[in-house]
Amino acid sequence: VEHPVERPILAVDLGGTQIRAALITPDRAVHCRRAVPTQDEDGVATVVARISEVAAAVRDDAASEGLPPPFGVGISAPGPLDRLRGIVLDPPNLRGWKDVPIVERVEPAMGLPTILERDTNVAVMAEWRYGAARGVHDAVYVTVSTGIGGGIITDGRPLLGHAGLAGEVGHLVVELDGPVCGCGGIGHVEAIASGTAIEREAKRLLDEGDAPELARLAAEGASVDAALVARAAAAGDRASAALLERAWVAVGSLCASLVNLLTPEVIVIGGGIAEHHPSLFEVARREMARRALPGFAPGARIEPAALGADVSLIGLLPIVNERIGDASPTAASQQSPPATLAQGASTT
Ligand SMILES: [Zn+2]
């Protein structure tokens, strides 16, 4: 069943490096894009003011171009967050952010109803409604970039879990005695396959003198990251190739666990690391087939994300339309329309 989206929205994506905003019309077109550096070192109040400023600038641009006005604002932000109360809790990539009531600040500044949603829930909505997971009932979105995150659609609706916190696929254990994760846990897939983890392991290889080609490239002044490790591997550096192979095997193991647990028809993998390393898909497909329950893997496809960086803007179109009903906020939160993110953790 299609859920028609009728009203234009103002979408804001709060990221660790950039704040992006645009007007999204019901035909899914992205208008009047703007982006400014987040600069979290300026402090929470300044960054929150910056969000309202960039959103207001997009609204002004849209008005001067004769575009229809937005009826509401959606903010996509990194978790953990309290989506229903509109509070950004304690995201690792926004320094100094702790329990920031972002909706309470942006809503009056814009004079428009405003909602907050976790970036990965926004991304899975975009890929499910408009992208690589279109038309299925069960899908998982995995982003492999600086960290690893995800969002889940099950039985044709988002899986939100208690307090709306479900979907942290990056923190599934794939190695009992593995490395310590950024979250403090042990052996999480993010601690093995994220950009941060690959960088950490590459620096360890350099310290131990185990990767001559990587050392040569690093000595030329290139920054030590996943891209450099891939260049070294392509030039025959065995330790670099093994490092990447292990990371992609971890992603494939994650996919096998997701298949065993949720039986998705599609696992969409996006994020900067996935986008720039096609070998991730090859290895992840092979390992999912090896490691999932017999008969389970053939029912699941691993697909690259289709919508790129715009997932976090476009996904807000259905979410804002569905979460901000035309009734009062209280009435809206008591409805339970199918296949929406309108329903979150009920605290009543
Ligand atoms: Zn973790």
Side-chain angles (χ1 to χ4, degrees), residues 202 205-206 209-221 228 232 237 240:
L205 288 181
L206 291 175
D210 283 344
E213 188 59 27
L214 185 63
R216 194 184 65 74
L217 292 168
E220 289 173 356
L228 198 73
D237 191 302
S240 295

Side-chain angles (χ1 to χ4, degrees), residues 170-171 181-185 188 190:
H171 304 278
C181 187
C183 73
H188 294 176
E190 177 171 301

Side-chain angles (χ1 to χ4, degrees), residues 21-215:
L23 180 86
I24 317 289
T25 44
D27 59 358
R28 261 183 290 151
V30 180
H31 303 274
C32 308
R33 287 173 191 275
R34 278 180 180 254
V36 294
T38 308
Q39 286 171 335
D40 56 2
E41 65 273 20
D42 295 346
V44 174
T46 307
V47 174
V48 171
R50 207 167 268 151
I51 291 168
S52 299
E53 280 161 26
V54 72
V58 167
R59 180 166 62 179
D60 293 348
D61 292 348
S64 67
E65 287 183 27
L67 290 161
F71 89 101
V73 178
I75 303 169
S76 167
L81 52 76
D82 185 329
R83 49 195 296 282
L84 294 183
R85 290 166 64 217
I87 298 170
V88 175
L89 296 175
D90 193 10
N93 60 350
L94 289 170
R95 269 171 295 174
W97 284 57
K98 178 108 181 81
D99 302 339
V100 178
I102 191 167
V103 165
E104 196 180 293
R105 306 277 163 77
V106 173
E107 199 166 48
M110 292 298 292
L112 287 172
T114 300
I115 59 103
L116 176 68
E117 191 62 71
R118 193 176 71 203
D119 50 10
T120 48
N121 281 344
V122 176
V124 75
M125 181 61 81
E127 290 288 347
W128 176 49
R129 294 282 284 261
Y130 310 122
R134 195 182 169 134
V136 306
H137 278 87
D138 295 272
V140 180
Y141 174 83
V142 178
T143 172
V144 184
S145 67
T146 317
I148 296 182
I152 297 165
I153 303 291
T154 181
D155 270 337
R157 55 190 302 153
L159 179 74
L160 297 167
H162 173 68
L165 296 172
E168 291 288 359
V169 300
H171 304 278
L172 263 66
V173 175
V174 292
E175 195 177 326
L176 284 185
D177 303 309
V180 177
C181 187
C183 73
I186 292 167
H188 294 176
V189 63
E190 177 171 301
I192 297 167
S194 65
T196 310
I198 293 168
E199 252 177 70
R200 183 202 65 224
E201 285 304 298
K203 285 174 181 156
R204 194 180 56 77
L205 288 181
L206 291 175
D207 287 347
E208 293 173 0
D210 283 344
E213 188 59 27
L214 185 63

